[in-house]
């Protein structure tokens, strides 16, 4: 198991926002976190990154105890986080955005790797990030996250504000990430589409895991369809 949370609770003050979460991600797995607005999805992933002030429970990553580690240490151990907005530097070119990721050693080789995975970025390497299309910008955000050669990438709503066509493209890119020996944990409002490309899923409601399991089982569960699917995606 790559990431294992047990009895994990987290919050910002007196009251915990998420409570007693059991969650795991295996090597190269794609896992969706979906659920209602305000359920605590962002708080959960920020907790994994070490960005929430109050946390308790157990959190293991590649066998190490993450809970007491600072955010920088967690990142250094191989977790990359792609926030929902402001995930690239708008005033830098594509090439500059990739170069400023702090990678020790072979960054030239790494750049070549990124351009072979995302050929559109090679063509646009001198373009300012602010001039990229929404889909290209998301590719750049993924490429930046991959520059550090992480074991786990956490994506916070990668398709937010994208058109249906670009959404399909971004989900295809998420599938491609798997060939990079990387696991993906992603928050998605488009739960149905996201589960279709995932191995497993967790549905949060009111700070707790309401449902979890194999993505195919969740997609065919009538209770899941009634309560949590189809509100935000028309597919
Ligand atoms: N920095 C913060 N300080 C205090 N409370 C916060 C903070 N961030 C979030 N919350 C509260 O935590 C709860 C869960 O928020 P969170 O953003 O984790 O939910 P979410 O499931 O990601 O929601 P959405 O789908 O709407 O983005 C909300 O009630 C929110 O008001």
């Amino acid at each position: 198991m790559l990431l294992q949370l047990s009895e994990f609770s987290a919050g910002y003050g007196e009251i915990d926002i998420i409570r007693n979460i059991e969650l795991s991600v295996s090597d190269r797995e794609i896992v969706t976190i979906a659920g209602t607005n305000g359920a605590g999805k962002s708080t959960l992933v920020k907790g994994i990154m070490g960005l929430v002030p109050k946390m308790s429970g157990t959190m293991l990553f590649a066998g190490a105890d993450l809970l007491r580690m600072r955010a920088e240490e967690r990142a250094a151990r191989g977790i990359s986080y792609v926030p929902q907005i402001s995930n690239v530097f708008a005033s830098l070119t594509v090439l500059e955005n990739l170069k400023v990721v702090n990678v020790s050693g072979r960054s030239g080789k790494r750049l070549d790797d990124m351009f072979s995975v995302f050929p559109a970025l090679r063509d646009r390497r001198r373009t300012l990030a602010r001039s990229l299309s929404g889909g290209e910008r998301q590719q750049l955000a993924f490429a930046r996250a991959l520059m550090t050669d992480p074991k786990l990438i956490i994506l916070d709503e990668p398709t937010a504000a994208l058109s249906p066509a670009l959404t399909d493209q971004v989900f295809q890119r998420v599938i491609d990430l798997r060939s990079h020996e990387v696991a993906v944990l992603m928050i998605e409002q488009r739960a149905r589409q996201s589960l279709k490309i995932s191995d497993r899923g967790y549905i949060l409601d009111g700070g707790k895991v309401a449902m979890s399991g194999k993505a195919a089982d969740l997609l065919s569960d009538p209770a899941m369809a009634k309560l949590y699917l189809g509100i935000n995606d028309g597919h």
Side-chain angles (χ1 to χ4, degrees):
M1 199 59 70
L2 182 62
L3 176 71
Q4 178 110 46
L5 271 57
S6 184
E7 292 184 23
F8 180 66
S9 300
Y12 307 91
E14 286 285 291
I15 302 159
D16 284 336
I17 299 285
I18 52 165
R19 294 179 303 281
N20 289 323
I21 303 280
E22 307 284 325
L23 178 143
S24 63
V25 181
S26 299
D27 287 311
R28 298 182 66 181
E29 213 180 12
I30 301 179
V31 176
T32 288
I33 300 173
T36 50
N37 284 119
K41 303 181 293 294
S42 295
T43 302
L44 174 58
V45 299
K46 283 184 194 152
I48 296 169
M49 292 308 301
L51 301 172
V52 178
K54 199 164 153 274
M55 293 179 273
S56 61
T58 317
M59 192 189 297
L60 298 175
F61 181 71
D65 180 4
L66 270 197
L67 205 60
R68 321 262 159 255
M69 284 182 205
R70 294 195 312 269
E72 313 85 273
E73 287 178 75
R74 300 183 192 208
R77 280 182 182 263
I79 306 181
S80 248
Y81 174 50
V82 182
Q84 190 176 333
I85 44 170
S86 307
N87 52 22
V88 299
F89 293 108
S91 60
L92 299 185
T93 66
V94 165
L95 193 58
E96 289 164 346
N97 260 284
L98 293 173
K99 282 185 167 173
V100 294
V101 178
N102 191 8
V103 207
S104 53
R106 317 170 302 136
S107 70
K109 157 104 177 49
R110 209 61 199 142
L111 274 174
D112 285 345
D113 288 349
M114 287 311 115
F115 287 144
S116 63
V117 189
F118 304 104
L121 295 182
R122 178 184 279 128
D123 298 341
R124 312 217 67 192
R125 63 189 178 282
R126 311 272 173 221
T127 304
L128 292 179
R130 74 159 62 89
S131 306
L132 298 175
S133 71
E136 287 167 345
R137 201 171 315 163
Q138 203 55 269
Q139 287 185 38
L140 179 57
F142 287 7
R144 293 189 80 244
L146 282 172
M147 282 297 280
T148 57
D149 203 7
K151 298 189 184 83
L152 173 67
I153 292 191
I154 297 178
L155 307 173
D156 193 344
E157 292 199 36
T159 73
L162 294 185
S163 67
L166 285 178
T167 296
D168 290 344
Q169 259 184 43
V170 167
F171 280 132
Q172 185 55 49
R173 293 295 169 191
V174 173
I175 297 171
D176 296 344
L177 291 177
R178 203 200 287 268
S179 57
H180 285 265
E181 310 277 314
V182 72
V184 179
L185 180 62
M186 84 180 139
I187 299 182
E188 256 303 333
Q189 295 281 357
R190 293 170 159 110
R192 190 187 299 271
Q193 274 181 287
S194 180
L195 284 169
K196 277 185 185 158
I197 63 149
S198 294
D199 299 295
R200 289 186 304 109
Y202 292 85
I203 312 302
L204 260 58
D205 194 349
K208 294 190 163 180
V209 175
M211 301 181 84
S212 65
K214 286 187 183 160
D217 293 343
L218 290 173
L219 283 166
S220 62
D221 186 321
M224 171 80 194
K226 184 159 176 269
L227 292 171
Y228 301 112
L229 291 178
I231 303 163
N232 292 295
D233 57 351
H235 291 251

